[in-house]
Amino acid sequence: MSTHNVWTHKGTFLLAAVGSAVGLGNLWRFPYLTGENGGGAFILVYALTIFAVGIPILIAEIMLGRNSRRSPIMGMRFLTRTHQTSRAWESIGWLGAASAFLILSFYSVIAGWAIHYTGLMLTGGMADIDAAGAGQSFDALLASPMLLTLYHTLFIAASALIVGLGIHKGIESGLRLLMPSLFVILLVVLGYGAVVGDIGAAASFLFTFNLADLSLEGWLEAMGQSFFTLSLGMGAIMAYGAYMPGESSLTRTAFAIAVVDTAVAMVAGLAIFSLVFGSGLNPGEGPGLMFVTLPLAFAEMPGGALVGGVFFLLVLGAAISSSISLIEPVAAFLVERFDLTRPQAVIMMVIASWALGLLTVVSFNLWAEGTLFHTLFGRSAFGLIEMLTNIFMPLGGLMIALFAGWALTHSEVMKEMHTNERWFRLWRFLVRFVAPAAVAFVFLRSIPQVEGYLIPAIGAVVIVGAFAAGRTFLADDSQQQ
């Protein structure tokens, strides 16, 4: 059972959590959001929301995992019984496991594209390519269900192998090799961008403080990013927390995860956009930035093929460090609930997620826009699965905050946090009132039926109510002391 496992070193949980948090979003989404939403102004808002929302929920999720010493599903079942709360709280574990399962299915497909581009770069397949050729190359990849399935299979099999080897021989050993390697590669690419690219333009794009460019939508993006970037609400942090040594500081670890995750995104942004601007290309986000714009930038620079290949190895490594954290919550549950061996549990989970991933594969070709599926559901199969995860994760995060804030006792929390009374009271205020209000924002935005203009109004009411309740709570708390 996974309850018997504890990381052999205190720093391993930090590596594992950072590995889960650092993924494709750090490379192609966060830097672009920063540049387009006021640079330094966006970073300031993001830092505030990370402190008020991300870190309190991160501490809460780790705490639930370490307190139960079980997989997310079995752990929440244990905690609801020991705290005599409603069994409805068990849905925290199920929502996390469902999110991890669904995300892995499409994440593996998208991450598999990096295998293709690593090969193209290292073999010179993208040398002297122009803008039209770069776009056609990516379109040709998406149009081939056979190629996408092959890369999807290779990627998910590699992830499964690491997790199947166990907590220590697999995940722990893999992360100790993988994460330092990723940081070194990132610095190499940054150095390359500084020499041959335009790092000044990249720094200006990312860090110039421009409050006028920070719209309400930018605030909401910062709030959502502060939640999603830390891998909250998908069971991974809770599963890893179950293996965390009891003497490790939750607060210091949570702050370290947030700082490293943000630093990686910033360094990646500098590296990527120095190459983009150095080639005179326009910045963008998402797959277009990663698989069209960047290969074009590498093609125009000296030694670009080799550095490009190394860069896509970085993309692969970041994706694998995240994917193994997606396998673990479900695999740990299967081991505990059905007494399977770890390899059996991993194989069952991965085969099911791989099969679901085929829906994402055909979303880019056989079931693309204009086909029957798209007509019936108004979006692709990939879009439908992604929408579900964007609902499940914030809902799970909201429930994690409320359960940890209200069901866990003062003595339990103090025992887990190893902290002083002042930080405990601040954390409890944030996790009881501020974080749930903010995550409610994120949750409402994930529901297509909620019109955009309603979100600010509803969110404002929730936040005002939360702060009012918080002030009452603090007043009552001070009187009790």
Side-chain angles (χ1 to χ4, degrees):
M1 287 179 61
S2 63
T3 52
H4 296 160
N5 290 300
V6 175
W7 302 119
T8 56
H9 189 273
K10 290 181 182 180
T12 303
F13 174 80
L14 177 61
L15 280 181
V18 168
S20 178
V22 172
L24 298 179
N26 293 73
L27 302 178
W28 74 32
R29 176 172 168 79
F30 181 63
Y32 177 79
L33 283 179
T34 301
E36 288 294 298
N37 290 283
F42 180 87
I43 293 174
L44 177 60
V45 173
Y46 172 78
L48 291 173
T49 51
I50 274 282
F51 175 78
V53 181
I55 289 174
I57 300 179
L58 179 59
I59 291 173
E61 187 164 350
I62 300 170
M63 190 182 302
L64 295 181
R66 192 164 74 174
N67 199 323
S68 67
R69 293 293 182 192
R70 291 164 171 80
S71 67
I73 295 173
M74 301 303 289
M76 287 310 304
R77 182 171 298 177
F78 169 78
L79 291 174
T80 54
R81 289 174 179 171
T82 55
H83 292 78
Q84 298 181 333
T85 58
S86 168
R87 289 197 62 181
W89 291 107
E90 289 182 23
S91 59
I92 291 174
W94 289 105
L95 283 169
S99 297
F101 176 79
L102 293 173
I103 293 170
L104 179 65
S105 74
F106 65 77
Y107 197 84
S108 175
V109 175
I110 295 170
W113 302 346
I115 301 176
H116 181 74
Y117 275 85
T118 302
L120 282 181
M121 283 290 173
L122 293 178
T123 58
M126 300 294 286
D128 302 321
I129 199 167
D130 58 13
Q136 289 167 5
S137 175
F138 185 50
D139 290 341
L141 172 63
L142 296 187
S144 173
M146 294 301 293
L147 270 181
L148 293 183
T149 301
L150 172 63
Y151 296 136
H152 168 45
T153 305
L154 290 174
F155 180 85
I156 207 168
S159 304
L161 178 63
I162 294 172
V163 182
L165 288 172
I167 301 301
H168 303 305
K169 290 184 179 179
I171 298 176
E172 194 164 6
S173 298
L175 288 170
R176 284 185 178 177
L177 173 66
L178 193 60
M179 297 311 294
S181 301
L182 294 186
F183 297 146
V184 170
I185 292 174
L186 187 56
L187 292 176
V188 169
V189 177
L190 175 64
Y192 177 79
V195 172
V196 304
D198 191 344
I199 198 165
S204 177
F205 179 70
L206 287 170
F207 302 125
T208 299
F209 194 94
N210 192 345
L211 196 59
D213 288 344
L214 183 62
S215 62
L216 176 60
E217 184 65 22
W219 280 74
L220 296 176
E221 292 282 10
M223 195 176 294
Q225 186 69 17
S226 71
F227 177 83
F228 288 113
T229 191
L230 295 177
S231 300
L232 303 174
M234 66 182 197
I237 297 299
M238 197 182 300
Y240 282 168
Y243 313 137
M244 187 179 184
E247 65 273 13
S248 298
S249 169
L250 290 185
T251 300
R252 284 198 298 271
T253 303
F255 272 92
I257 293 166
V259 169
V260 174
D261 178 67
T262 305
V264 167
M266 291 290 93
V267 173
L270 279 174
I272 289 169
F273 288 122
S274 65
L275 297 172
V276 170
F277 290 130
S279 300
L281 303 173
N282 293 321
E285 69 168 326
L289 169 65
M290 189 68 63
F291 301 109
V292 178
T293 306
L294 273 175
L296 185 58
F298 283 122
E300 297 179 0
M301 293 180 169
L306 177 60
V307 179
V310 171
F311 173 79
F312 282 106
L313 284 175
L314 163 68
V315 175
L316 267 176
I320 284 181
S321 68
S322 296
S323 66
I324 61 177
S325 74
L326 295 170
I327 297 172
E328 182 59 26
V330 180
F333 165 70
L334 294 175
V335 170
E336 293 176 2
R337 178 66 179 81
F338 300 105
D339 201 26
L340 300 177
T341 65
R342 174 165 282 268
Q344 288 173 337
V346 170
I347 289 170
M348 284 183 61
M349 190 275 183
V350 164
I351 288 177
S353 193
W354 174 88
L356 182 62
L358 297 179
L359 293 180
T360 296
V361 167
V362 297
S363 293
F364 298 107
N365 36 73
L366 302 179
W367 288 7
E369 190 171 352
T371 57
L372 179 61
F373 187 96
H374 207 287
T375 303
L376 287 175
F377 294 97
R379 63 186 69 224
S380 66
F382 164 55
L384 194 63
I385 296 170
E386 187 179 35
M387 183 193 73
L388 287 175
T389 63
N390 287 338
I391 293 173
F392 290 170
M393 285 177 66
L395 181 58
L398 176 65
M399 295 179 70
I400 286 169
L402 293 174
F403 186 87
W406 293 97
L408 299 185
T409 64
H410 176 279
S411 58
E412 274 184 304
V413 175
M414 291 295 285
K415 178 184 175 184
E416 291 291 344
M417 289 181 71
H418 307 304
T419 189
N420 56 58
E421 190 69 25
R422 179 175 295 178
W423 169 240
F424 162 76
R425 293 177 64 217
L426 176 58
W427 170 83
R428 190 167 63 173
F429 167 68
L430 292 172
V431 85
R432 280 183 169 183
F433 302 107
V434 178
V439 176
F441 246 133
V442 177
F443 175 66
L444 289 171
R445 292 186 73 229
S446 66
I447 303 175
Q449 289 75 16
V450 177
E451 295 294 334
Y453 70 87
L454 287 176
I455 295 173
I458 296 172
V461 171
V462 173
I463 287 178
V464 169
F467 271 96
R471 291 187 64 181
T472 303
F473 155 73
L474 288 176
D476 292 342
D477 200 41
S478 61
Q479 288 174 3
Q480 291 172 5
Q481 292 182 356

